Amino acid sequence: MKLKLPPWSRSGWGVVKKYQYVLLVALVGAVLLLIPSGEKPAETAAPEEGQQFRLEELEKRLEQALGQIEGAGEVHAVLTLKSGSRQVLAQAVDRDGNGGSSFAPVTVGRGAGSQEVVPLQTLAPEYQGALIVCQGGGDPAVRLNILQAVSALTGLGADKISICKSG
């Protein structure tokens, strides 16, 4: 027994057959869009929402951590900043007919007439230098360990970190 298809279905298959490669590319593109990329958003050392960067708190944490290094003894740390933490804001581009454009920050309403800007990214502060004063600052091995630790935490090079022995 031969299956007979209605006349409208035969013309539909003709269209599908005619554009089969275009449809295949569109289908593959849709599947690729649905597959997760596997990349997680980049985690930054920036403070969480609602928290402010406090240099004094960071210095205290650094002192506590460096005090755990063998031979360091009591540690005092002073950090200087080139720039503090800052936010990159979302901006809307308005183009006029003459080819010019203007930028305005994107805001969202939070109810009761208040508006807030939309942050895209919070950038961590940029350090300028570090001074570490500790009891074990005269020992080269302790100095090296402290130098490596401060460099790893702040991103500063060895020429920007000064380690002194306390008196």
Side-chain angles (χ1 to χ4, degrees):
M1 174 183 247
K2 199 171 187 186
L3 182 65
K4 289 189 175 185
L5 296 174
W8 57 268
S9 67
R10 281 184 247 148
S11 64
W13 284 112
V15 170
V16 170
K17 190 163 184 133
K18 181 177 179 182
Y19 294 107
Q20 66 184 356
Y21 296 112
V22 174
L23 294 172
L24 180 65
V25 169
L27 180 64
V28 168
V31 169
L32 288 175
L33 285 174
L34 295 175
I35 296 174
S37 66
E39 294 179 12
K40 294 181 179 177
E43 296 289 329
T44 61
E48 295 179 14
E49 188 175 330
Q51 290 183 330
Q52 294 293 326
F53 173 77
R54 292 189 184 7
L55 184 61
E56 296 82 19
E57 290 177 13
L58 180 63
E59 287 174 344
K60 293 294 181 198
R61 288 178 51 205
L62 184 62
E63 289 171 359
Q64 290 173 352
L66 294 178
Q68 300 298 314
I69 293 176
E70 185 177 345
E74 186 177 339
V75 178
H76 296 285
V78 179
L79 296 173
T80 57
L81 297 177
K82 190 180 286 186
S83 65
S85 62
R86 57 195 185 279
Q87 289 185 335
V88 177
L89 303 177
Q91 293 187 348
V93 179
D94 296 325
R95 300 191 190 277
D96 59 14
N98 299 332
S101 58
S102 62
F103 299 94
V106 175
T107 58
V108 292
R110 295 287 183 192
S114 66
Q115 296 278 329
E116 290 185 15
V117 293
V118 178
L120 290 178
Q121 182 180 21
T122 301
L123 300 175
E126 188 177 351
Y127 298 97
Q128 183 171 336
L131 169 64
I132 308 298
V133 179
C134 63
Q135 294 171 342
D139 182 11
V142 172
R143 290 174 61 97
L144 179 62
N145 288 336
I146 290 174
L147 179 71
Q148 290 174 339
V150 173
S151 179
L153 291 172
T154 62
L156 291 170
D159 61 327
K160 304 284 185 180
I161 301 170
S162 179
I163 303 169
C164 302
K165 181 178 180 177
S166 63

